Amino acid sequence: MRVYTEIFPAIASMAVGVILGCTHLVRGDEASKGIRARPARTELRSPIVEARLDISSGQPVVEVTINGKGPFKLVLDTGAQATKLDDDVVKSLGLKPVRKTETRDASGETPSGLEVVGIDSLALGGAVFRDFAATVLDYDEIFGGKRRYDGVLGYPVFADCLLTLDYPREQVVMKHGELPAADGQEILDYKERDGLAGIRVLISRIPVEVTVDSGMAGAVALAESLEDDVTFALQPAKRSGIATELDIRVSQLSGTLRLGRHRFIEPPVYFYGSGSAVGHKILRYFVVTLDQKNRRVRFARQESDPIMFTPKPKFGLVIGHRRGKLTIMHLVPGSRAATHLQVGDTILSIEGRPASWYDQHSIAALLEESDAIALKVDRGGFPLLLILEAEQ
């Protein structure tokens, strides 16, 4: 049960990953609405085209050639409304801006003109995408002189083919066809949100519309307006951005995120802006297929067990604060705790001491050091006393 003593450094690390890795740190989304982001023609040189998907950086990166030159490394970003290229790449290709457009920075406040360039062809493996536009960004400036990639490959590029991000095999797959009808389990209908795939998930039983955002390095991003609606294993803490004057709030959810039939226990989360998304740390468990024609997405995963972002609890349960009360937040299936307790049971006492005596750190220490604990809980007005032994 070290989650409450060790998770905070992990969350801090996640925040840095979001800031460094998030391709939307300086968004071109508003500008993207006026850009010809979808190719005029898509050519697949075989029925199934595969290419390597490098996920070692915490984002899916592919190698492409542009107008016959390269290779260039681009983040394959299903959360980007348009392709974006580093200005040095644009210069090396000899591309001339066709116009400028207005966008805003990540704070949503400072307008700035983005140059727009035309791309004749972009090849990814045996797939060629012809005649579309991209915006130009200075990634060296954004990342403090430590540019990680040459740009971002936007979601609309794949409008005319099925796109699969096979994270387990580290492959991107493109082919013609369509997904079967949604079943609510693995295949979900999505709503187009500004040209992107927006699906509904349940976060602590609250329905939330989120974008499927492969370019986001973190697990879950939530709109700031949702902060009062969900519960946390730790209270959100501020972390500042490095490339812009941004403040985000990072924490760890207390409870479960449900995506179709799939469950994620206590994923890390950050709050920033008005949009919500699921990112790399969720998507990496799946073979994700997106069907833009029919607005469907499939999340295929062989395993059915929930995915836990915390170490397996020693006593088969996760304890946290909900509405000011110490509460059972999660139970490991098959554990003795799961046999006798229920999620939502309110804890009255631990080892004979009232629940109010404990803070999250003293609970963590007790559960880590003990081989057995006595719990008294309240369930609908009825007290229940249980002695739990550590799971083997």
Side-chain angles (χ1 to χ4, degrees):
M1 187 60 179
R2 293 182 183 177
V3 55
Y4 298 113
T5 56
E6 296 183 356
I7 193 66
F8 196 84
I11 292 172
S13 175
M14 182 275 292
V16 173
V18 168
I19 294 166
L20 287 174
C22 184
T23 60
H24 304 152
L25 184 59
V26 176
R27 284 190 177 269
D29 294 350
E30 293 84 352
S32 302
K33 296 178 182 178
I35 292 176
R36 193 177 69 258
R38 177 174 173 169
R41 190 165 75 257
T42 297
E43 302 169 3
L44 301 184
R45 293 174 178 170
S46 61
I48 299 177
V49 174
E50 294 184 343
R52 182 169 181 264
L53 194 68
D54 183 355
I55 60 174
S56 60
S57 67
Q59 293 172 292
V61 177
V62 294
E63 286 195 350
V64 305
T65 59
I66 300 174
N67 295 351
K69 297 180 180 180
F72 301 104
K73 292 184 177 181
L74 304 184
V75 174
L76 200 166
D77 189 354
T78 62
Q81 294 173 325
T83 296
K84 304 164 190 178
L85 297 178
D86 179 70
D87 58 351
D88 288 337
V89 172
V90 170
K91 292 174 184 176
S92 71
L93 292 169
L95 301 179
K96 302 298 182 183
V98 295
R99 64 183 174 91
K100 284 191 175 183
T101 187
E102 185 178 279
T103 185
R104 297 182 183 275
D105 66 15
S107 67
E109 296 179 356
T110 307
S112 59
L114 288 182
E115 293 180 335
V116 179
V117 296
I119 295 176
D120 294 330
S121 68
L122 183 148
L124 170 57
V128 182
F129 307 94
R130 299 189 183 277
D131 189 17
F132 63 102
T135 57
V136 182
L137 292 174
D138 185 345
Y139 282 98
D140 282 323
E141 180 180 353
I142 292 171
F143 295 113
K146 298 180 181 180
R147 174 159 58 95
R148 293 183 168 186
Y149 40 75
D150 299 311
V152 169
L153 190 57
Y155 183 53
V157 169
F158 304 95
D160 295 323
C161 63
L162 277 181
L163 169 67
T164 296
L165 303 181
D166 188 334
Y167 285 90
R169 292 177 58 234
E170 298 188 11
Q171 294 280 325
V172 56
V173 183
M174 295 152 286
K175 64 180 182 179
H176 294 300
E178 59 184 43
L179 287 175
D183 58 13
Q185 300 298 308
E186 286 200 341
I187 302 176
L188 308 177
D189 288 320
Y190 75 72
K191 294 181 180 179
E192 188 175 282
R193 305 176 64 193
D194 295 326
L196 306 176
I199 60 172
R200 174 170 289 190
V201 300
L202 292 177
I203 297 178
S204 298
R205 301 182 182 179
I206 300 170
V208 178
E209 296 287 339
V210 297
T211 299
V212 180
D213 190 347
S214 63
M216 189 183 82
V220 184
L222 293 180
E224 290 178 336
S225 60
L226 295 171
E227 188 169 340
D228 293 334
D229 296 330
V230 297
T231 56
F232 307 97
L234 290 174
Q235 288 304 304
K238 283 189 177 182
R239 288 291 182 273
S240 296
I242 57 172
T244 56
E245 295 301 320
L246 299 180
D247 281 325
I248 62 175
R249 293 173 62 79
V250 299
S251 186
Q252 179 195 16
L253 288 176
S254 186
T256 302
L257 180 148
R258 290 181 176 268
L259 193 167
R261 71 174 180 86
H262 309 287
R263 293 181 295 159
F264 296 83
I265 309 301
E266 297 197 338
V269 61
Y270 78 95
F271 291 90
Y272 167 67
S274 59
S276 300
V278 290
H280 177 81
K281 289 187 177 180
I282 295 291
L283 302 178
R284 65 182 176 178
Y285 293 97
F286 297 105
V287 178
V288 182
T289 300
L290 294 125
D291 177 353
Q292 293 194 47
K293 177 183 177 181
N294 296 294
R295 297 182 182 176
R296 296 172 190 151
V297 57
R298 177 169 58 202
F299 298 93
R301 175 173 169 259
Q302 291 185 347
E303 298 83 1
S304 58
D305 293 341
I307 296 167
M308 298 190 66
F309 282 86
T310 63
K312 184 176 180 179
K314 182 177 179 181
F315 287 92
L317 80 171
V318 173
I319 296 172
H321 286 89
R322 175 180 290 170
R323 299 184 180 89
K325 295 182 178 181
L326 211 54
T327 305
I328 304 295
M329 309 303 295
H330 172 70
L331 295 165
V332 175
S335 66
R336 185 164 185 263
T339 302
H340 298 280
L341 297 171
Q342 296 180 6
V343 172
D345 285 349
T346 300
I347 296 175
L348 301 176
S349 67
I350 305 176
E351 291 293 289
R353 292 191 178 97
S356 59
W357 188 88
Y358 293 91
D359 60 18
Q360 60 194 32
H361 301 293
S362 59
I363 293 171
L366 175 67
L367 296 182
E368 179 64 27
E369 297 168 3
S370 302
D371 294 322
I373 56 170
L375 287 180
K376 186 177 182 181
V377 303
D378 175 83
R379 182 183 303 161
F382 295 95
L384 173 66
L385 180 62
L386 180 66
I387 297 177
L388 291 178
E389 295 182 352
E391 299 285 326
Q392 300 299 318

